[in-house]
Amino acid sequence: GHIGCAVDITEQRRHDWTIGEAERRLKHLVESSQDLVYRLRIGPPLAVEYMGGAVQAITGRTADEFYADPLLASRTVHPEDLPNLAVTMEGVTRMARTVTIRWVHQ
């Protein structure tokens, strides 16, 4: 005997490919950017979840250094710009839409 079942997953696969393609394009856009793009988890615990773009050119540090030490930014930003860092929920709520931060290279 033989029993079979067929389900058309064409639309599901097309949707999956579209999401994957969009993620690939976004990653390429960020990595070829002259800007710094990051995602910081406020906590607990505080963590840098993503750091991309021109990380080393802008900060003088590698993304891996920020992943290993989430407080590195607070020690490498120009002292006058420290209030612009949003590393607490309170800081995030009062943060301006556009923030300029000066980084002090090694």
Side-chain angles (χ1 to χ4, degrees), residues 38-49 70-71 85-93 95:
Y38 68 93
R39 183 175 61 222
L40 179 69
R41 182 178 59 223
I42 300 301
L46 181 68
V48 175
E49 293 184 339
L71 293 175
L85 283 181
V87 294
T88 64
M89 283 307 290
E90 179 184 314
V92 170
T93 58
M95 188 174 178

Side-chain angles (χ1 to χ4, degrees), residues 44-67:
L46 181 68
V48 175
E49 293 184 339
Y50 177 78
M51 196 85 161
V55 178
Q56 195 157 7
I58 292 173
T59 69
R61 308 287 180 136
T62 66
D64 288 337
E65 290 177 271
F66 286 96
Y67 294 137

Side-chain angles (χ1 to χ4, degrees), residues 21-39 49-58 63 67:
E21 179 66 11
E23 289 174 353
R24 186 189 66 74
R25 287 181 179 197
L26 178 60
K27 184 174 182 172
H28 175 73
L29 176 68
V30 168
E31 294 305 322
S32 61
S33 171
Q34 293 181 1
D35 295 319
L36 171 62
V37 178
Y38 68 93
R39 183 175 61 222
E49 293 184 339
Y50 177 78
M51 196 85 161
V55 178
Q56 195 157 7
I58 292 173
Y67 294 137

Side-chain angles (χ1 to χ4, degrees), residues 7-22:
V7 177
D8 184 358
I9 62 168
T10 303
E11 287 303 313
Q12 181 182 350
R13 296 286 290 164
R14 186 175 296 131
H15 177 71
D16 290 347
W17 181 86
T18 303
I19 291 171
E21 179 66 11

